[in-house]
Amino acid sequence: MTSADPAPPPAALKESLRRERVHHDRCRTALAAMVEGAQEQVVVGEDVSASGADAEVLGYQLRSQAKEMRELPEGPLFFGKLEFDRGDHAGQAYHLGRLRITEHPAAPPLVVDWRAPVSRAFYQASASDPQGVAVRRRFGWAAGSKGGSGDLTGLEDEHLSKGESGPSAIVAREIERPRVGPMRDIAATIQPEQDDLVRSDLAVSVCVQGAPGTGKTAVGLHRAAYLLYTHPQRMRRGGLLVLGPNRTFLSYISQVLPALGESGVRQSTLQDEIARHPVTATDADPAAALKHDPRMAEVLRRALYARVSTARVDSLEIRDGSYSWRVGAGELTRIVADVREEEPPYGTGRERVRSRVVRSVQLQAERRAGPQNGAWVQRVSRSRVIGAFLDAVWPKARPEEVVAELLSDSAELAAAADGILDAEEQKDLLWARPPRSWKSARWSAADLVLLDEAAGLVEHPEGYGHLVVDEAQDLSPMECRAIARRARFGSLTVLGDLAQGTTPWAARSWHTVLRHLGKPDVAVVPLTVGFRVPRAVVQLANRLLAKLDVEVPEGLSLRGDGELAIRATSTDALPDAVVDAVRDSLAHEGSVGVVAADADVARVRQALDAAGIATAGPDELGARVSVVPAGVVKGLEYDHVVAVEPAAIAEAEERGLHRLYVVLTRAVSRLVVVHGRPLPF
């Protein structure tokens, strides 16, 4: 194995570095030509003679490709190399990077995309199973490199065909590199078990139970990039959606997919996806919990279909010039009952009733006068008589009307909730001050979940080809149903950790989550070996894990470095102790996250400001010191974490111990726990 240290190298290593730097310069020139060529294709494509639709599609595709090429983040163009001595690629050598680079489309690539089939050996080959690889080479780049060839500081070779394999110093340094700014991609450091998940087939849904630091979020994002690369047409048609728990988290992960050559992927929160109206109201805890309860799906279904009625159906007479066509009350009642039995979306059902009534009239007309054309069918379909009939038996429905009337009218709620919700629960659900109409209603965040359910009953929403759902353990059953509607014809990558469930409705088992997501048969794959959190920190978190009401395996860490310090102080001296802990952290390289109970954040920030320590909020990526409420720290990571008063974090909410577990596992290098009260673990 050749050392990757930047110390003066031996002659052979020095010559290898020189050749690789020359190759990188060649790749940089080729990439610049590819970017320029993509822009030229746009210009040429705009001049191509084609039909309007074809020209529009061609132009969109070319402009999108050119935009993606121009917006590629700066950085090294390759991170690894494979030399084969056996198999289909015997005698070939390939550099691996985040995208394919070539001097000409027909020429052998200078860099192979990490997602290409041949690249898999980089992640999976071992001394016991070389997979035809003679040498696996990893490259060491200077921290923060923008891709200058001079930043190539080292390389490391494993001669797999000779049985040489072992821990990689370059991989270890990359994993342990200070965390400042947005989340990085892990293409250079993917482990075999992560690679298996990343390369799962598009048709396969995946659920990952990932202990802290196991890279589950990165795995999900890299799977998205892999699917976009492997199935570009299907992904373009169906679309790909990444759902995160909050906008702070989305900001943190926002650069991963662009760094992998994939821009234009929708990254959103579920709240943003279902936001038919702004949130202007707040629910009491019992009401919010009920609105997230899966029983509400049946209550809403009953409330909606209670509008369908055949109680006063009379026969219809439709005039057509000198003729009149009649549809009897019995036949009309049967049509409505048959459609109701089929349980289509409510809006589809209304149109299905219309079409069957029209068909009955059409059959009469054709028996008397022969086939009728489309214009005749359209005229009959839109007649006032049939429109009035539909309004009487299957009236139009807005989701807002359904939900507002249900939450405003105790009698309607009692009818819809009979046998489902008890009287006290119904009382909790009712709005204290019903609006005059749905148009003046003030909606809570939980109301938006009900609105989405009602909208899904009225008309199925458009779905996605694939959804990546992170922090899925925090989803309520009703939120899972909202996601399931968007994944009716697509697959899911479900990511989370039951131990980190912090919402009142957080799941205790993945089986429950997957059932509500419409994927009950999906296997749960555990990731337990971490590469991010030091071993001492993981062991501390495992002590707390025993107190949580979930069954998940303890986390393990390959990181023998890192520090853990627990500093006891008095309650009055706590602010000064926090300042001292932050100053100690600033003596080391990397970011510092000061995490406190939400109610204590202002006091902590005030103490740091008074000490002359500049601070930022969690949304200001790249800051040296961030003061972070415990409520939004999930999914984030910092080199150094100062956890302030764990007892206050644990007491702040119903699942406070779970929140504390999250806080304790955000550190990449050092964790300092500062407390004036007894520790909860």
Side-chain angles (χ1 to χ4, degrees):
M1 183 176 292
T2 306
S3 173
D5 293 334
L13 177 55
K14 189 173 183 179
E15 176 58 21
S16 294
L17 281 172
R18 187 195 66 78
R19 288 198 302 268
E20 297 293 4
R21 287 168 179 159
V22 169
H23 184 74
H24 192 268
D25 286 336
R26 183 181 176 189
C27 295
R28 180 66 65 190
T29 301
L31 178 60
M34 289 170 62
V35 173
E36 183 179 350
Q39 187 58 44
E40 288 177 356
Q41 283 185 324
V42 172
V43 176
V44 172
E46 290 173 346
D47 293 335
V48 170
S49 175
S51 71
D54 289 344
E56 185 175 344
V57 171
L58 175 63
Y60 173 79
Q61 292 176 347
L62 292 175
R63 284 191 297 273
S64 297
Q65 182 185 35
K67 183 174 183 290
E68 289 175 3
M69 294 291 290
R70 289 196 306 272
E71 294 180 354
L72 284 171
E74 295 178 318
L77 300 181
F78 52 76
F79 55 78
K81 183 180 181 181
L82 291 174
E83 296 178 10
F84 289 86
D85 63 355
R86 296 178 187 175
D88 295 340
H89 302 281
Q92 300 295 317
Y94 304 100
H95 286 78
L96 277 61
R98 289 163 177 82
L99 77 162
R100 185 179 189 272
I101 299 175
T102 181
E103 293 172 316
H104 187 275
L110 299 176
V111 176
V112 175
D113 195 297
W114 67 275
R115 297 166 287 189
V118 70
S119 302
R120 184 163 199 180
F122 184 79
Y123 304 107
Q124 296 283 350
S126 64
S128 59
D129 181 20
Q131 301 185 16
V133 177
V135 180
R136 172 168 53 204
R137 172 170 289 181
R138 302 179 190 273
F139 297 100
W141 294 86
S145 172
K146 294 185 177 181
S149 296
D151 293 336
L152 178 54
T153 58
L155 53 86
E156 190 178 73
D157 286 343
E158 292 173 272
H159 295 270
L160 301 183
S161 62
K162 298 179 181 179
E164 294 181 8
S165 183
S168 166
I170 284 179
V171 170
R173 278 202 296 273
E174 174 64 20
I175 291 172
E176 297 167 14
R177 184 154 56 87
R179 261 70 171 166
V180 177
M183 182 179 182
R184 309 192 293 265
D185 70 84
I186 60 165
T189 61
I190 292 174
Q191 302 300 302
E193 64 273 20
Q194 296 173 323
D195 185 65
D196 288 336
L197 292 167
V198 166
R199 297 178 191 265
S200 299
D201 188 76
L202 172 60
V204 176
S205 290
V206 172
C207 178
V208 180
Q209 159 59 42
T214 54
K216 56 185 175 292
T217 297
V219 165
L221 293 173
H222 284 67
R223 187 183 186 206
Y226 175 77
L227 293 177
L228 288 163
Y229 172 88
T230 311
H231 306 282
Q233 298 300 326
R234 292 171 67 180
M235 287 291 93
R236 188 176 294 119
R237 288 194 305 270
L240 191 148
L241 174 65
V242 176
L243 287 175
N246 53 58
R247 292 179 182 175
T248 298
F249 176 83
L250 292 176
S251 296
Y252 179 62
I253 68 170
S254 63
Q255 295 305 309
V256 173
L257 287 172
L260 296 171
E262 301 295 348
S263 60
V265 176
R266 182 166 177 77
Q267 300 186 40
S268 184
T269 67
L270 182 59
Q271 283 294 311
D272 288 339
E273 289 297 298
I274 67 176
R276 296 174 64 93
H277 299 278
V279 173
T280 56
T282 304
D283 285 311
D285 290 346
L290 274 172
K291 291 174 182 180
H292 283 277
D293 192 300
R295 293 177 295 167
M296 288 303 299
E298 177 60 19
V299 173
L300 285 167
R301 191 191 66 79
R302 288 185 183 180
L304 175 61
Y305 282 96
R307 296 166 178 256
V308 176
S309 173
T310 56
R312 297 182 179 180
V313 173
D314 294 323
S315 61
L316 294 183
E317 184 174 335
I318 298 99
R319 296 191 62 80
D320 179 25
S322 60
Y323 296 108
S324 291
W325 313 114
R326 183 176 178 277
V327 184
E331 183 177 2
L332 292 172
T333 299
R334 178 183 56 77
I335 287 173
V336 174
D338 286 350
V339 173
R340 180 70 181 81
E341 186 72 20
E342 294 164 8
E343 295 192 351
Y346 185 90
T348 302
R350 175 183 164 96
E351 293 309 308
R352 198 171 286 179
V353 170
R354 182 198 303 273
S355 68
R356 293 183 187 181
V357 173
V358 171
R359 180 59 179 163
S360 177
V361 175
Q362 184 180 2
L363 289 173
Q364 295 180 51
E366 289 179 345
R367 283 193 294 268
R368 182 180 184 96
Q372 303 297 315
N373 60 29
W376 182 92
V377 172
Q378 185 73 7
R379 186 172 69 252
V380 172
S381 178
R382 298 304 170 189
S383 67
R384 291 183 180 178
V385 173
I386 290 182
F389 166 72
L390 287 172
D391 289 341
V393 302
W394 203 296
K396 292 180 180 179
R398 289 178 176 269
E400 288 82 358
E401 290 176 320
V402 175
V403 174
E405 291 174 10
L406 183 71
L407 300 183
S408 301
D409 189 325
S410 58
E412 182 173 337
L413 177 59
D418 182 38
I420 300 175
L421 304 178
D422 62 31
E424 191 63 29
E425 289 174 322
Q426 294 176 35
K427 182 179 178 181
D428 287 336
L429 272 179
L430 286 169
W431 283 339
R433 296 181 179 179
R436 293 181 180 178
S437 75
W438 69 265
K439 294 182 180 179
S440 59
R442 297 173 65 244
W443 305 101
S444 69
D447 289 334
L448 298 186
V449 180
L450 299 184
L451 286 174
D452 194 76
E453 180 74 27
L457 290 168
V458 173
E459 211 71 65
H460 287 318
E462 289 188 22
Y464 289 86
H466 190 79
L467 287 86
V468 177
V469 185
D470 208 348
E471 303 296 350
Q473 76 282 344
D474 278 330
L475 295 170
S476 72
M478 292 294 281
E479 288 174 324
C480 287
R481 290 176 61 87
I483 293 170
R485 284 189 288 276
R486 290 157 174 82
R488 288 176 61 232
F489 305 110
S491 53
L492 294 170
T493 298
V494 181
L495 311 165
D497 178 8
L498 296 177
Q500 298 185 53
T502 53
T503 59
W505 38 80
R508 269 70 173 178
S509 82
W510 284 116
H511 174 74
T512 303
V513 175
L514 293 169
R515 177 165 51 85
H516 289 301
L517 285 171
K519 308 289 184 182
D521 298 325
V522 170
V524 179
V525 180
L527 287 180
T528 58
V529 179
F531 310 94
R532 173 177 61 82
V533 184
R535 188 176 301 142
V537 175
V538 170
Q539 290 172 344
L540 175 67
N542 285 341
R543 287 167 53 189
L544 185 60
L545 186 61
K547 294 178 174 288
L548 308 182
D549 55 345
V550 291
E551 292 186 9
V552 299
E554 289 190 350
L556 303 171
S557 176
L558 299 182
R559 297 273 305 279
D561 63 330
E563 298 178 31
L564 168 65
I566 298 178
R567 300 182 181 182
T569 185
S570 66
T571 302
D572 292 340
L574 187 69
D576 291 336
V578 171
V579 170
D580 290 342
V582 172
R583 282 181 172 149
D584 290 346
S585 298
L586 288 172
H588 303 270
E589 186 181 7
S591 58
V592 181
V594 186
V595 188
D598 294 24
D600 293 338
V601 164
R603 186 163 64 106
V604 169
R605 182 175 285 112
Q606 184 178 13
L608 293 172
D609 289 345
I613 298 175
T615 63
D619 292 329
E620 299 175 61
L621 301 178
R624 186 74 201 281
V625 180
S626 300
V627 179
V628 188
V632 300
V633 77
K634 188 176 296 182
L636 305 182
E637 56 185 25
Y638 300 91
D639 291 289
H640 316 283
V641 168
V642 177
V644 182
E645 199 62 277
I649 295 172
E651 294 170 0
E653 55 189 301
E654 179 183 340
R655 292 171 67 88
L657 284 176
H658 293 257
R659 181 76 68 186
L660 179 58
Y661 180 82
V662 174
V663 171
L664 296 179
T665 54
R666 298 305 95 199
V668 175
S669 296
R670 297 173 68 254
L671 171 65
V672 181
V673 179
V674 181
H675 68 101
R677 298 168 55 191
L679 293 171
F681 47 83

